[in-house]
Amino acid sequence: LRLVPLVWPKIDLLLIGSGEHFNERLDPLIFDFLLKKGVKAEQMNSRNAATTFNILNSEERLVAAALLPLSSKKPPPDYYFSTDDEEN
């Protein structure tokens, strides 16, 4: 989080996506630290955070997002890379 205030151009809002559900609030010290550096932060589930990011970004607002994945399931082994069999 120490890098957030160093980002240029300076962001106005950091959206924190807490995964599929919004179960647990982050430590208030995190929000206080960011606010002292001039960055507002909001926490919500990752789907809403991504949607909010896209809307604010389309309005050319200076916004960033830190998103946890929606699911803890691992993708299949060939999810990121194709195998030689697929190319033939």
Side-chain angles (χ1 to χ4, degrees), residues 15-26 31 42-50 65-72:
L15 299 167
I16 302 170
S18 57
E20 192 166 350
H21 304 286
F22 180 48
N23 294 331
E24 191 173 323
R25 194 94 178 122
L26 289 175
F31 294 99
E42 291 191 29
Q43 181 184 5
M44 58 193 75
N45 69 51
S46 291
R47 182 170 278 116
N48 289 339
L67 307 172
L68 291 176
L70 293 176
S71 172
S72 61

Side-chain angles (χ1 to χ4, degrees), residues 13 15 49-64:
L13 177 63
L15 299 167
T51 301
T52 303
F53 172 85
N54 288 332
I55 292 168
L56 294 175
N57 191 46
S58 73
E59 296 172 354
E60 298 183 10
R61 301 267 309 270
L62 298 176
V63 61

Side-chain angles (χ1 to χ4, degrees), residues 69-80:
L70 293 176
S71 172
S72 61
K73 289 191 257 180
K74 291 183 179 179
D78 60 347
Y79 183 78
Y80 296 109

